[in-house]
Amino acid sequence: MILSILLCLNKHEFACLASPDQKLFVFDLASEKEVSKLIMQSPNTSCELDPIPTWLGRTHLKSLLKVITVIINKSLDDGMPKSFKNSIIRPTLKKGAADKNSLQSYRPVANLSFVSKVTERVVSKRLKKFCEIHHIFDSSQHAYRRGHSCEAALLTVHEAAVTAIDRGEVMLLVLLDLTAAFDVIDHKLLLVRLEYLGITDRAHKWLQEYLANRSHVVKCHEFSSALEYTNIGVPQCSVLGPLLFAIFMTDLRGVFEKHPRIRDLCRRHAGVRYLSAS
């Protein structure tokens, strides 16, 4: 929870970020054409929560499109349905994990219903557009952004290191490893951040309902857990999860640069150019 505490301490600093014209009051309704395009671009994967397999729904999309669009727009108007917030979690072994008997070696991958993920894609599209227009993301934020990647982050660090060496300066690199990063997002703090960034009214309420009282069961082979509810974090393998995480991290650089000791350190070492939250 150290990350949440740091960001909370900086809450008063980002309270004035949103200008009067930087507002997102409501998510625009989706057209049948947009929904059709999003469905055809989505992975052809199914979930046990789906009434029919995804491939069958896509095959008969012409007949189902109007109904799906009505359901999505009804959600945008009235909030995220409870059924859309259910998920089935299947533990997936992490790449390179050595100990298969350790719970830390597994990632809790959430399987969500197809229509709920299409709804998330509609909202994600509008959130990303808002963030891009108002330059919400820090230039050094490389994670979960189009046109950015781990490779871009590494090249940026390499360029800074080479430049510092050429100038005879000191290069200081601070790395933070956030264990189960998606699971530590504090909903209250995220909602405060969204509001200060200009996401208010019905759009803010929709995201609040999206985060609240999410439920899941854990399945492994033929075994299944009891239904559990969670009010912290965002589901892995959801569409909105990575975007909300990126928004949650937007002010991390500001937190570090406003911290007296880190700020003084940056002043003493000219080679420290930036602090990336990627």
Side-chain angles (χ1 to χ4, degrees), residues 11 20 23 25 32 35 51 82 126 142 170 187 228 238 246 259-260 265:
K11 181 169 63 176
K23 296 291 182 181
F25 296 105
E32 290 185 12
V35 172
K82 184 178 179 181
R126 284 141 181 75
H142 291 278
V170 175
H187 290 176
E228 296 288 345
S238 64
H259 191 283
L265 183 63

Side-chain angles (χ1 to χ4, degrees), residues 25-138:
F25 296 105
V26 63
F27 295 124
D28 295 333
L29 299 182
S31 65
E32 290 185 12
K33 182 178 179 180
E34 180 186 10
V35 172
S36 176
K37 184 177 180 180
L38 290 173
I39 289 175
M40 298 311 296
Q41 290 176 342
S42 301
N44 194 26
T45 55
S46 297
C47 174
E48 295 176 40
L49 299 172
D50 293 324
I52 60 174
T54 300
W55 66 265
L56 184 60
R58 293 175 70 167
T59 301
H60 299 280
L61 182 58
K62 187 175 180 180
S63 302
L64 298 172
L65 182 58
K66 186 173 182 179
V67 174
I68 294 175
T69 304
V70 169
I71 292 173
I72 290 173
N73 287 334
K74 185 68 173 175
S75 167
L76 297 179
D77 274 338
D78 299 340
M80 195 73 166
K82 184 178 179 181
S83 60
F84 280 15
K85 296 192 287 185
N86 298 333
S87 64
I88 297 174
I89 294 180
R90 293 190 178 277
T92 303
L93 190 66
K94 297 178 182 178
K95 291 182 179 180
D99 187 3
K100 295 183 179 181
N101 295 318
S102 173
L103 294 179
Q104 301 299 323
S105 299
Y106 292 86
R107 191 183 308 279
V109 176
N111 295 305
L112 302 158
S113 68
F114 184 76
V115 177
S116 73
K117 294 186 79 168
V118 176
T119 305
E120 288 189 47
R121 292 184 191 281
V122 171
V123 174
S124 176
K125 185 178 177 181
R126 284 141 181 75
L127 265 181
K128 285 180 179 178
K129 182 178 179 181
F130 175 80
C131 291
E132 290 170 0
I133 290 175
H134 298 289
H135 308 289
I136 299 298
F137 295 117
D138 191 288

Side-chain angles (χ1 to χ4, degrees), residues 191-206:
L191 290 168
V192 169
R193 179 175 299 283
L194 290 168
E195 186 174 7
Y196 284 148
L197 290 175
I199 302 168
T200 61
D201 205 57
R202 288 166 60 187
H204 188 272
K205 184 178 179 181
W206 191 94

